[in-house]
Amino acid sequence: MSDAPAINAPAISVVLPAHNEVSLLGSTVTNIATALDERGLEYEILVVENGSRDGTLRLARLLAAQLERIRVLTLPIGDYGAALEAGFRAARGSVVVDFDVDYYDLTFLDQALGRLASGGCDVVVASKRAPGARDSRPLYRRFVTLVFTSLLTRLFEMPVSDAHGMKAMRRQPLVETVERCRMTRSLFDVELVLRADRAGIAVTE
């Protein structure tokens, strides 16, 4: 459910799932809002608190009280995929972007907006396995990602090298795709990308 009143539809909606993120949420929201203000973009930031036990919800509500472009949604259990889905459903921007509280990249946003504006795609995925990407995770995690994504590519012809991570999407085709998704947690990202591709929505990385 949402804690904030409706605001005029913005150009960009940033969805931020937040589970026990009280130590980082304030700086992340402030940094993203400052960067979007500097770019002159009309935006909203949707903080989707889910099952936190550390004061994340209270902090999110304080931020929303101080910054008019912040909206807060809250879910009773910790579920990253469910939080993304709730944020995507509530988003009103023409473009919807999802960031993590502990990882966001405005350079990706700039590049993704350029690609979306060119008209060649509807979804841009920041893949950790794309050519030129720098993946600093431990080797075993990179290996797990390689195996998992290779299986998805072989079995389902996934159109990108990694479905997880930041995304920027046109809202209009996104809405119907989200409605059809059934998976939660980490599989929500995968189902979203696969369903978008099956529906003829252009996905790139």
Side-chain angles (χ1 to χ4, degrees):
M1 59 183 256
S2 174
D3 287 344
I7 58 176
N8 293 332
I12 297 174
S13 295
V14 177
V15 176
L16 271 179
H19 174 74
N20 292 337
E21 297 284 6
V22 71
S23 63
L24 291 175
L25 183 62
S27 60
T28 293
V29 168
T30 301
N31 290 342
I32 293 173
T34 299
L36 294 175
D37 284 334
E38 290 173 349
R39 287 161 171 76
L41 297 171
E42 290 296 322
Y43 66 90
E44 63 177 358
I45 299 175
L46 288 85
V47 178
V48 189
E49 184 279 326
N50 55 109
S52 298
R53 299 175 181 271
D54 66 346
T56 295
L57 179 57
R58 180 174 180 274
L59 175 57
R61 286 171 168 164
L62 287 173
L63 290 167
Q66 296 169 2
L67 303 169
E68 63 179 355
R69 295 183 181 183
I70 311 301
R71 298 169 58 203
V72 179
L73 288 76
T74 181
L75 302 178
I77 61 172
D79 187 324
Y80 182 78
L84 281 179
E85 180 181 358
F88 291 162
R89 287 175 179 268
R92 288 188 291 266
S94 300
V95 172
V96 181
V97 181
D98 69 280
F99 287 152
D100 290 342
V101 174
D102 62 349
Y103 189 77
Y104 55 94
D105 189 338
L106 278 303
T107 299
F108 163 74
L109 176 61
D110 294 336
Q111 294 176 350
L113 291 178
R115 292 201 180 192
L116 293 173
S118 71
C121 60
D122 299 298
V123 180
V124 182
V125 180
S127 171
K128 296 182 289 294
R129 299 189 59 240
R134 291 174 294 179
D135 190 348
S136 59
R137 296 176 305 158
L139 183 60
Y140 78 92
R141 291 193 61 188
R142 284 179 277 167
F143 177 74
V144 170
T145 297
L146 172 63
V147 172
F148 183 58
T149 56
S150 296
L151 284 173
L152 290 173
T153 301
R154 181 180 295 272
L155 297 175
F156 300 103
E157 299 181 350
M158 189 170 69
V160 292
S161 60
D162 183 14
H164 297 106
M166 299 175 291
K167 299 174 190 64
M169 301 155 280
R170 296 186 192 281
R171 181 181 174 277
Q172 196 54 48
L174 172 69
V175 172
E176 294 182 3
T177 305
V178 169
E179 291 289 340
R180 293 194 293 271
C181 288
R182 296 294 178 266
M183 299 293 184
T184 58
R185 302 191 184 279
S186 61
L187 290 178
F188 175 79
D189 289 280
V190 175
E191 184 182 9
L192 178 67
V193 169
L194 290 175
R195 285 190 180 276
D197 183 57
R198 296 293 189 276
I201 298 170
V203 182
T204 189
E205 66 181 16

